[in-house]
Amino acid sequence: MRFNLLGAVSLTAMFVSMPAVAQDSGAPTSQETAEQTSDTGGDIIVTGVRQSLERAAEVKRNAVQVVDSIVATDIGKLPDPTVAAALQRVPGIQVQNDRNNELSTVRIRGLTDILTTVNGREVATTTGRGFDLQDVPAEALARIDAYKSQTADQIEGGVAGTLDLRLNRPFSFRDPTLVLTARQNYATIADASNPQFGILAAGKTDTSIGEIGALVNVTYSRAENIRSVTNLGERRYSGGTPLNVPGLLVPQVLRNMPDVGDVKRFQANAALQWQVTPSLQFYADGLYTYFRSTTGFAGFNPQPFTNNSRISEITASDYCFDARVNAGGTNPTIVNNVDPDTGEATQTLQPFTVQRVCELKSARFDNVVINQNSSSEDVTQKNKMVAGGFNFEQDRAKLTLDVAYQTSRSFLQNFNAEVGQRVPTVFVEFDDNNGPSFTIDPSIPLSSTNVSLRNSINQNYTLGEGNLLQARLDGEYEVGGILPKVKAGLRYARREARFQEVRQTNTVQSIGFGNIGTPTEANARLISSLGLSPDFLSVIGVAPRLNGGAPFLGVNPDYLRSERGRNELRALFNLPLRQPDFDPTKEFNAEEATYAGYVEGSYEIPLGSLTLDGVVGTRVIRTERTIAGFERTGSTFSPVVAKTSDTDILPSATARLQFPGSFQTRLTYSRSIRRPDFASLNPTESLTLVGNVFLLNTGTRGNPDLRPQKSDSIDLTAEYYFPSGYVAVTGYYRSIKDRVVSSNTQETIDGLNYLISSPRNVGSVDLKGIEVSAQYFFDFLPGALSGFGVQGAFTLADSTIKGDDPLSGNPLVGVSKYNYTAGLLYDKKGLSARLIWTFRSKYINGDNTGGVALRPFDPAREDEAYVPVFLSYVRPAGRLDFSVGYDVTDALRLDIGGTNILRNKTSTYWGDKRVVFQLNGDETVYSIGARVKF
C-alpha cells in the first residue's frame, strides 16, 4: 500500500464535523474493553449515529466491569467543544458550566475523584491528581471510556472511576486517509462567531522491515465568551450605620459581574506503529495540548453599606427568621486566633445579639458607591507527553511494555484594578424572575466624569509545574479450560511538582498626593487626575440585569494584560516595573514514587445453558511521598518537610452470568483509593488581602495530615441487548472512608480577619443509587420512519455523610440526587439527527458555615461553640441540544447544531431556597460545519 504523505493542510471553509473514522485500541493496555475492540483487527469504520451507539453498546456488553463509552461519531454528531460536553449524556455522569461558559467539572455518580488516562496512560495537571479535561478538545478523540468500577490491572487513583481518552492510531485505517474539518460556532450571549478547525492524516505502507504506519491529528479553536452573572453578596443586618433601618437582610455588595474573555485551544497528537513481525509491534506516541483563557470578571457593583448611604421605598418579603448578629452586622463565628509570641491557638465566638430579620423584595439605595472593577485573568496551560513501547504476542503468551513521560505547566496572571463612583440612587428588585434587577439613571454606566480609582490594585501570579514518568510491564498467558488466562504486571511512576505564587495588594491610600491630584473623597482618586493612558477605561461588559441589560465602563482588561498598562499602574504606586518576585514562603515542592504490581485471573464456567465468567485479582501499591513547604507559627514562617509512605492492597472481582439469547447480569466488587493532591497536603497559607472593606480577606491552607480516601464499591447490573438497542439497570453502593471536604473558618492573622478554606477528612460517606439506560430504533416502522430511535438514561445518587462531623447527615457537595437525559434520534440514508434533553437536580455548592452571612439558628442551642451549618445550593439549568447532519457524498458531510437552545439559566441560593444568591446565564451556541474526507 502506498504511504500517505503527512503534511500541514488548511481549510478556510466555515463548516466542521467530527471525522467519521473510528478508533483502534490506542496504546497497549491490559484493560479488557480495549482488548474487545482490538480483536476486530483494528479496521473499524464508524459512519452513522446509530452505528456509533451500537459500537458503544458492544463495549458496554463485552466489558468485564461496569463501563459506558462514547465513540467518534457519538461525540461529533453534536457540536461538543469539550470532553465534558460529550460526557454529559453518559449514564451516571454530571457536568456543570464554568466561568468560560463551557461544560466542565465532570462527576461520575456525583464524585469528582476521577483518574484520567490517555490511551491507558495516567495524565495529571501540574500539582493536582486530576486532569483538566478542558485542555483536550472533544473532536481530537476517537473514543471515551468511562469506567465506574475497577479491576486489578487498572491504574489506581479514582474513587469515582476512570475516564480513558482514546486517540486514533494509524493501523485503525484501511486506506490512506485525510480528513479536513471546520466549523463556525455562534454564541448568542457573547454575540460572537468562533472558528474551529481540524486535520487528521494517516497512512501505512509495507516495507522490507515490516509494515509502518503514521498519523498526525491537529485541532484548533477559539471562542469569545460572556457568562452573565448577577450576584447578591452575603446578607448583613440593616440596623447599624449607615442604613439605620432595623429588621432587614441586605447584601453587602450587589453584583452585576459578567465573566468576559476568550478561550483558545490547540492540540496535536501523532503516532507511529511498526509491525516488525506478526508477533512483534513497536509504537511511539506524542501529545501536545495548549489552552489559554483570558476570562475575567467585569463588575458594576453597588455597595449599600458605603458611608452616608440611605435606604428607602422598602418592600420586605414574608420570609423572616431570628439571626445572631455581631457588632458589624454579620454572623458571629468562631474565630481561630494565634498568640504571636507563644503560637498557642485559641478559639472565641464573637459577641452577638439576636435580631428578627426579613428578606427584601425591593428597595431603593441612595448615595451609594458603585464599583466598576475588572479582572484581567490570564491562564495558560500546556501539556506534553511522549510515549513508546512494544507488544509481543506468540502462541498463548502476550507481553506489553509501555513507557511515558508527561510535563504539565499552568501559569496564571491576574492583575486587578478597582474603580468606581458615587451615584444618587439605585433601585433594586431582589427576585425578578429568579434573580435581582437594577434600575439606575441610564447616563451613569457609560460616564467617566466621576469615576475614581478606589480600594486597591492587585497583582497575583501563580505557577504550577509537574512531570510524570511512568512505566508498566504487563504479561498474559492463556491457560485454557475454566481458567482461560492469567495476567500479571508491574508499574512504576514518579511524580514531581512545584508550586510558586505571589499575591500583592496595594491600597489606594498608599498613593502619595504629589502630582496625581487630591482625593475627591476618602480612599479614592479621580481617574482624570492620575494622568493614565486614555485606554485605561473602556466598555468592559454588559451588566445583564442593569436597566434590562446595559453596557458599562470599567478598567480595560487588555490594558491590564499589557506590560505597558501594568507598569503605568506600578509606577503610580511606586512599585518595581516588573512582575513581583514569587513569595518563597508560598512555594512547595513535592516528589512521589509509586510501585504497583497485580495478579489477575479470568474464569469461565459453563452452567448448562448459562455461562458464568469474570476476573478475580489484587493490586498492591507502595507510595512514598515528600512535600517541602513552609508553615506559619504566629507571624513566623519556617521550612517544613513532610515524608509519608503507605502500602495499599486493592482486591477486585467480577462475575457475569450470561443467559441464552441476549440477557446478562453482572456483579462487581472493587476497592479503590484516592490520594490527596499536593496542594491539599501543603501546609503553606495563600492569603488574599481584599481592598474592599465590605468583602472579607480570604485564604487557603493545606492539611498535611490528610489521609487518602478509600472506597469499597459494589455494582449489580441487569442488561438486555437486542438488534435495535438495549436496556440496562445498574444498582451501586460505595462506602468511602476519609472523604475529603473543604470548609471555611475565620482567623485573625497579623491583626486582620481572613476567611481561610482548608480541607479535612470526614469519617465516612455512603453513596448508593441506581442507573437506568436504554436506546432503541424503530426498525419495524415502514420506509423512512424506521430511521427513528430513542435514547435515555436516569441516575439516582443518594449520598450521606456519617459520623460526628458538623456536616453529618447532609449529602456530599456536588452530588445531584437525580440526573437524566432523554433523546429523539434519526439515522437513515445519510441523514442523521438528534434532539437531547439533559437535566440534573439541585446540589450543595459549598459549606459556608464559617462565613459572615446571616442565617437562621436554633434558639435551643445556647452553647457558645454552636455555629449553624450554612450551605449554598445550585439549581442547574436543564439543556436542550440538537444536531442535524447529512452525507452529501461519501467525502462530504454537512451539519448544523445547537446547544442550550432554550437559553436556560443556573441559579444559586443560600441556606433556605428563598434567599437568592446568584444567577448565571448559560451560553447558547449554534453551529454550522462540514467534513471533507479524502
Side-chain angles (χ1 to χ4, degrees), residues 593 595 621-626 642-648 708:
Y595 309 84
I621 310 102
R622 173 72 175 176
T623 305
E624 297 175 352
R625 182 187 307 114
T626 300
K643 295 185 176 183
T644 58
S645 61
D646 48 77
T647 301
D648 297 285

Side-chain angles (χ1 to χ4, degrees), residues 152-193:
D153 62 336
Q154 289 184 289
I155 302 172
E156 74 286 344
V159 166
T162 299
L163 293 177
D164 188 27
L165 313 181
R166 315 295 294 180
L167 300 172
N168 285 295
R169 306 188 81 214
F171 283 179
S172 297
F173 302 88
R174 294 189 186 96
D175 302 316
T177 301
L178 177 64
V179 179
L180 306 176
T181 65
R183 166 169 282 135
Q184 195 74 5
N185 303 306
Y186 175 72
T188 60
I189 297 178
D191 190 21
S193 293

Side-chain angles (χ1 to χ4, degrees), residues 393-465:
E393 182 175 355
Q394 189 167 7
D395 298 329
R396 294 188 291 176
K398 293 181 182 180
L399 186 67
T400 300
L401 173 68
D402 188 74
V403 180
Y405 180 73
Q406 181 209 353
T407 62
S408 179
R409 186 180 191 271
S410 179
F411 183 46
L412 181 150
Q413 308 172 68
N414 194 331
F415 202 109
N416 184 332
E418 298 184 51
V419 302
Q421 60 183 305
R422 190 174 286 271
V423 301
T425 184
V426 177
F427 184 77
V428 183
E429 294 186 69
F430 285 79
D431 191 0
D432 180 8
N433 192 20
N434 294 321
S437 62
F438 305 79
T439 302
I440 194 172
D441 183 335
S443 66
I444 291 176
L446 293 176
S447 172
S448 62
T449 303
N450 297 315
V451 176
S452 298
L453 187 66
R454 310 179 62 86
N455 299 328
S456 64
I457 65 168
N458 305 278
Q459 300 187 76
N460 301 325
Y461 293 84
T462 300
L463 176 63
E465 298 175 295

Side-chain angles (χ1 to χ4, degrees), residues 570-590:
R570 288 166 178 155
L572 187 66
F573 282 77
N574 298 314
L575 300 173
L577 303 184
R578 57 177 175 81
Q579 174 188 323
D581 295 331
F582 287 117
D583 185 344
T585 66
K586 301 292 188 288
E587 178 179 334
F588 74 82
N589 292 271

Side-chain angles (χ1 to χ4, degrees), residues 4 17 58 102 175 177 186 195 205 211 279 347 373 411 574 581 602 604 608 614 621 744 774 777 789 817 855 866 911:
N4 181 42
S17 73
E58 286 180 29
E102 296 181 330
D175 302 316
T177 301
Y186 175 72
T205 185
E211 187 176 33
S279 298
Q347 290 187 331
N373 53 324
F411 183 46
N574 298 314
D581 295 331
S602 64
E604 185 173 331
I621 310 102
N744 300 321
F777 279 88
K817 190 167 186 177
R855 77 285 308 265
Y866 166 62

Side-chain angles (χ1 to χ4, degrees), residues 620-908:
V620 180
I621 310 102
R622 173 72 175 176
T623 305
E624 297 175 352
R625 182 187 307 114
T626 300
I627 296 183
F630 288 83
E631 191 170 36
R632 180 178 59 83
T633 303
S635 57
T636 302
F637 287 88
S638 304
V640 60
V641 176
K643 295 185 176 183
T644 58
S645 61
D646 48 77
T647 301
D648 297 285
I649 299 175
L650 307 180
S652 61
T654 73
R656 179 177 60 170
L657 187 61
Q658 295 177 286
F659 290 78
S662 300
F663 178 77
Q664 65 183 30
T665 182
R666 75 180 82 213
L667 177 66
T668 71
Y669 164 78
S670 63
R671 176 171 295 169
S672 56
I673 63 169
R674 178 72 165 190
R675 305 177 186 94
D677 62 72
F678 296 133
S680 295
L681 292 166
N682 172 43
T684 301
E685 292 171 341
S686 176
L687 303 178
T688 300
L689 183 64
V690 179
N692 190 333
V693 297
F694 301 109
L695 300 176
L696 198 61
N697 302 316
T698 61
T700 60
R701 181 191 303 117
N703 180 357
D705 298 323
L706 283 179
R707 299 177 295 276
Q709 302 176 68
K710 296 182 180 180
S711 170
D712 289 294
S713 63
I714 298 174
D715 292 82
L716 176 64
T717 77
E719 307 161 31
Y720 180 63
Y721 299 87
F722 42 91
S724 56
Y726 77 91
V727 177
V729 180
T730 301
Y732 62 90
Y733 172 79
R734 275 195 175 91
S735 176
I736 306 173
K737 296 181 180 179
D738 293 322
R739 178 70 179 171
V740 175
V741 300
S742 294
S743 58
N744 300 321
T745 57
Q746 290 191 50
E747 295 187 19
T748 300
I749 301 173
D750 295 334
L752 298 175
N753 204 22
Y754 287 84
L755 192 64
I756 303 294
S757 175
S758 183
R760 70 179 189 275
N761 293 108
V762 297
S764 63
V765 174
D766 283 345
L767 175 65
K768 57 185 180 294
I770 188 170
E771 294 173 356
V772 181
S773 59
Q775 63 189 45
Y776 180 69
F777 279 88
F778 301 103
D779 293 335
F780 60 88
L781 294 175
L785 295 178
S786 63
F788 281 103
V790 291
Q791 179 187 34
F794 172 82
T795 301
L796 168 68
D798 185 12
S799 64
T800 306
I801 297 175
K802 302 166 65 178
D804 58 359
D805 190 88
L807 293 177
S808 179
N810 285 291
L812 281 170
V813 171
V815 178
S816 291
K817 190 167 186 177
Y818 306 109
N819 189 87
Y820 67 85
T821 63
L824 179 64
L825 312 172
Y826 187 83
D827 196 332
K828 194 77 171 180
K829 295 183 178 180
L831 177 65
S832 61
R834 187 160 61 174
L835 182 68
I836 302 288
W837 170 255
T838 305
F839 178 82
R840 63 182 292 197
S841 61
K842 73 170 186 178
Y843 58 88
I844 296 174
N845 186 50
D847 177 12
N848 308 286
T849 300
V852 299
L854 296 182
R855 77 285 308 265
F857 83 104
D858 182 359
R861 297 288 302 272
E862 297 180 354
D863 51 307
E864 278 200 355
Y866 166 62
V867 176
V869 171
F870 194 56
L871 306 174
S872 60
Y873 297 83
V874 169
R875 296 189 196 96
R879 298 175 65 88
L880 184 64
D881 304 339
F882 82 94
S883 69
V884 179
Y886 181 67
D887 294 320
V888 180
T889 68
D890 289 342
L892 175 64
R893 179 179 179 82
L894 304 178
D895 67 47
I896 60 173
T899 63
N900 190 32
I901 60 175
L902 299 182
R903 303 191 179 190
N904 288 346
K905 298 179 175 62
T906 296
S907 61
T908 306

